[in-house]
Amino acid sequence: MSKELILEKAKTSILEADEDLALEALKEAEDTGVNLLELLSDGFSAGMKELGDLFGSGEVFLPELMFSTEVMKVATAEIEGKMDVKDVKPKGVMVIGTVEGDVHDIGKGIVASLIKTNGVTVHDLGREVPAKVFVEKVKEFNADFLGSSALLTTTMTEQKKIEELLAKEGLKGKVKTLVGGAPVTKRWADRIGADAYCEDASEAVNTLLGWIGNL
Amino acid sequence: MGKDLVIKTLRHETVEQVPWVPFAGVHAGKLKGYTAEEVLTDGDKLFESLMEVHRLYVPDGMTTMFDLQVEAEILGCDLLWAKDNPPSVKSHPLANEKIIPCRCEIPDENSGRLPMILEVMNRIHREIGEDVALYGLICGPFTLASHLRGTGIFMDMISDPDYVTNLIEFCGEVACKMAEMYIDAGMEVIAVVDPLVSQISPKHIDKLLAPSFTNVFEFIRSKGAYSNFFVCGNATKQIESMCKMSPDGVSVDENVDMVKAKKITDQYNIAIGGNIPLTTTMLYGTQQDNMKGVIDLLDSMDHKNLIISPGCDMPYDTPIENTIAAAQAVKTPEAVREMIKNYESVSFADIEIEIPEYDKMDKVLIEIFTLDPDQCAACTYMVNVVSDNYEAIKDISEYRVYKYNIKKDIARTMKMGLTNLPTMCVDGEQKWISLIPSKEELIEVITQAYKKKTNK
């Protein structure tokens, strides 16, 4: 089987959330000597990217996205297990969480998973994360990106606190910030000085990849 | 009567005026200075707050208790309470156990907060049920299933659809029981609120959700009440599936293009409600933004089968004057159109306005700036609190009323730098914005102002 066909199969396995097909693509890649990193980026990750875009445009919905993300996790773990970890260089480091006072984390979880599958190391801090913990973790992990999610009009203000703390710690500009959540808008991001507002997981990935491309 | 407008609209009849249904959930508490937790747990405070919603916002229909976590709490979910938001579900009892709860757990009149809620519903029904269509809100079966199972429900939809069907069937039975109790307590409209429906495909809705939801809507109808299907988020693609379940109305938020959505609901002869933007317009916008938002909605759609409402539960801190402006725009669109025109006009700069020299006046000057004291309920109350009690303060004060539909008054309002109406100024200082003082409060402030003046 040609490399193109194997990559296509890997991509399809993600789009159709078919774990068996994903493992089949992996085996064929190994058998025919296809570079596993290439399989990861041009096959599986390309599938996730397409799926994320379909999610963003409302062609694919949450259950399908979550299920495919699980298949992606299996494929990624398999590949990492077969390779020397040093071969995989992360494209960047991100800390992400839902802000203090807010327990909504479905969207944040999706964003974290999708970004992870695009080769960025993600530290998910969970939910109800105080602003100072976000900033401490940025320092601890030397993060390039900070993502915060707020699902309530009253917890949005925590995102402002994060920006203020970053400024106080002299980290503004060193770490790029993304804000999201149902009541959050671009206007809000501009108002508090966040680097980007992302409407959904797909936009978050595209924003990050855009930044990484310019690094 | 306002209530008839809502009922006729949900019966798909033509009405002379589009009904106005503000969703003042926790925001109701703000009107009386109570926290979200207080209005959602204390019956007297909830009742008092709802009466204030009725007084200030002149609704044709209104929600009684906007908390989608009532059922979840009864069924074993832990809640995280907040001062200015409804509680959030923190734990999911079925997260690690794929079972269907026992039917013996279906709520009854004594479960959780229901004794308090039912008592308030009965009271509010006795007080204003003749004039206002009262909405009882229940948690939709899919969102309730997600409260119980957690995010695992999304994976189950693909890996174990039979389990999801059974869990939603259970949640549908909970919904019917809740609807029955609320209808018996005087609620005429049951809003089935299921924000998560916007997150799944129409295919999944038709297959997994439709049977239980359709049952709930049929049950509500069989009890002689009306149903309204509330969804949040971008539900553009799901509207048609929602219509197929035959609710009497659907309600959408600002993520949905209501004009396009109404084309679909009209095909099914179902009413649609919405969708004043919650944050950009209601919470952070001006009075004029709210007026314009409502007028734009009214002008862009056929008025049959239409209800004007906020996109969803209003944020706690929504400025009262913004909701008053929205109400005014629904009730008197023509007058408000003029107000918007006036606001946008720059010609007022030429009108000469003399601001009184308050210090030199013998008496305290009370100036009441209104949208229109005859049409806007809050404006009427503000004028009345002064005129009805003027006898007590007439020796130390005088009062003037300005209307935002008279050019000179508009110019004066602008020159005074007032952006929200109604506002009452005492010797040129803004004292009350939208909130109506009590008689005692008014007399105290005027007396103090007079003392300050005469001590000089």
Side-chain angles (χ1 to χ4, degrees), chain B residues 3-4 50 99 115 154 177 240 242 320 405 443 452:
Chain B
K3 173 175 154 174
D4 288 343
L50 292 174
I99 55 161
F154 294 110
K177 179 65 188 171
E240 185 147 18
M242 290 167 64
I320 298 165
N405 50 13
I443 294 173
K452 191 177 156 195

Side-chain angles (χ1 to χ4, degrees), chain A residues 58 62 70 103 106 127 154, chain B residues 85 88 90 151 155 199 237:
Chain A
L62 201 51
E70 287 305 309
V103 292
I106 301 178
R127 54 194 196 174
T154 46
Chain B
N85 269 304
S88 311
K90 225 166 49 164
T151 49
M155 301 291 282
Q199 299 303 313
K237 291 195 191 304

Side-chain angles (χ1 to χ4, degrees), chain B residues 18-22 57-61 276 282 308-310 323 326-327 330-331:
Chain B
V18 176
W20 157 239
V21 184
Y57 296 158
V58 286
D60 300 314
I276 312 171
M282 295 205 83
I308 297 294
S309 291
T323 321
V330 188
K331 299 277 171 186

Side-chain angles (χ1 to χ4, degrees), chain B residues 92-132:
Chain B
H92 313 284
L94 305 183
N96 302 311
E97 200 182 13
K98 214 195 249 181
I99 55 161
I100 304 299
C102 167
R103 258 62 184 176
C104 58
E105 289 184 37
I106 291 180
D108 63 26
E109 290 79 356
N110 298 311
S111 310
R113 283 179 280 151
L114 280 172
M116 178 276 283
I117 297 168
L118 295 171
E119 199 248 340
V120 172
M121 286 179 168
N122 275 305
R123 274 172 84 186
I124 205 90
H125 172 65
R126 281 196 299 273
E127 288 289 330
I128 58 172
E130 286 287 308
D131 309 323
V132 185

Side-chain angles (χ1 to χ4, degrees), chain B residues 13 27 33 101 108 135 162 199 262 364 384 396 406 423 448:
Chain B
E13 295 170 17
H27 171 74
D108 63 26
Y135 281 53
D162 288 345
Q199 299 303 313
K262 191 166 188 301
V364 173
N384 286 353
I396 58 169
I406 296 172
T423 287
Q448 289 304 324

Side-chain angles (χ1 to χ4, degrees), chain B residues 309-379:
Chain B
S309 291
C312 197
D313 189 13
M314 290 157 60
Y316 181 84
D317 261 331
T318 301
I320 298 165
E321 54 273 16
N322 283 0
T323 321
I324 289 171
Q328 182 80 355
V330 188
K331 299 277 171 186
T332 56
E334 289 313 318
V336 165
R337 259 189 204 99
E338 281 305 305
M339 285 183 199
I340 296 170
K341 236 187 267 171
N342 288 339
Y343 177 75
E344 287 168 348
S345 162
V346 288
S347 60
F348 300 101
D350 302 336
I351 300 176
E352 233 175 79
I353 294 296
E354 201 181 309
I355 300 290
E357 291 188 65
Y358 301 104
D359 287 350
K360 292 184 181 163
M361 293 177 80
D362 293 335
K363 291 182 177 180
V364 173
L365 181 60
I366 305 168
E367 292 169 292
I368 309 165
F369 295 85
T370 67
L371 288 168
D372 177 349
D374 303 321
Q375 300 287 347
C376 149
C379 304

